[in-house]
Amino acid sequence: LMKVEVSKKIFTVAFGIFKTTQIVGGLELAAKAVAAEDLLPHSAYFPIALAAPLLCGFVGGCGGAFLPFTNGLAPIEEGKVWNIRAAFLAPLAYLIMTRFCGVEMLNAKMTICVFRILGDLFPGPRDSMLGPVTAALYKGTNVRSTPLPTVVPVKKA
């Protein structure tokens, strides 16, 4: 079934909708949980929760890419994995649109859903647009452009 091009496209659209629902669901659940928390004082600097919703949206969008934990940070080395990049960018865009720009939640969800689906359907243009952004992000954060070796050879004396 997945060898037919039409069924691949239908699956891609369905997968984009599913992942968007996971991202937005995780983000909104975290935002409501932080807002309802009374044990610790809320931030004096930010009127809304930022870190927990972004982290939960990212984890929801990754789909277990970091599991098992022995994988380490392999999924984000070199920024080549679209699902990880989309899982990072979509919650950030959604949070900015809904919390700071006043966009309706459903419209913001539709925007990141279309972004994700178009990124899946058109990988060439996606990579040419996001490649420089990813390179700048890695350069700005001082992350290596090549991963460190996992095994370091030791010379015998």
Side-chain angles (χ1 to χ4, degrees):
L1 186 64
M2 290 307 290
K3 292 180 182 180
V4 179
E5 197 62 31
V6 174
S7 63
K8 284 183 188 177
K9 303 294 184 198
I10 292 171
F11 179 77
T12 299
V13 170
F15 184 73
I17 293 168
F18 172 72
K19 278 300 185 185
T20 301
T21 302
Q22 282 188 306
I23 290 169
V24 172
L27 191 146
E28 289 297 339
L29 184 64
K32 289 176 183 166
V34 170
E37 179 61 52
D38 290 334
L39 294 176
L40 296 172
H42 292 276
S43 173
Y45 303 106
F46 299 104
I48 59 168
L50 294 175
L54 286 175
L55 181 64
C56 289
F58 174 71
V59 170
C62 285
F66 295 97
L67 297 176
F69 292 122
T70 56
N71 287 348
L73 297 177
I76 61 171
E77 289 175 353
E78 300 296 322
K80 303 283 189 229
V81 180
W82 163 244
N83 287 333
I84 303 298
R85 282 196 273 178
F88 174 77
L89 294 172
L92 187 63
Y94 179 84
L95 194 73
I96 290 170
M97 284 189 285
T98 57
R99 303 316 196 262
F100 300 110
C101 297
V103 176
E104 299 260 344
M105 288 182 176
L106 188 58
N107 292 340
K109 186 175 180 179
M110 179 60 75
T111 301
I112 65 170
C113 185
V114 169
F115 164 74
R116 225 189 129 80
I117 290 170
L118 290 177
D120 282 334
L121 291 175
F122 304 106
R126 170 197 77 202
D127 290 339
S128 66
M129 287 178 14
L130 289 179
V133 174
T134 303
L137 182 64
Y138 276 132
K139 191 167 190 85
T141 57
N142 208 18
V143 174
R144 290 178 54 98
S145 62
T146 57
L148 291 171
T150 54
V151 177
V152 178
V154 178
K155 292 182 182 178
K156 293 183 181 181

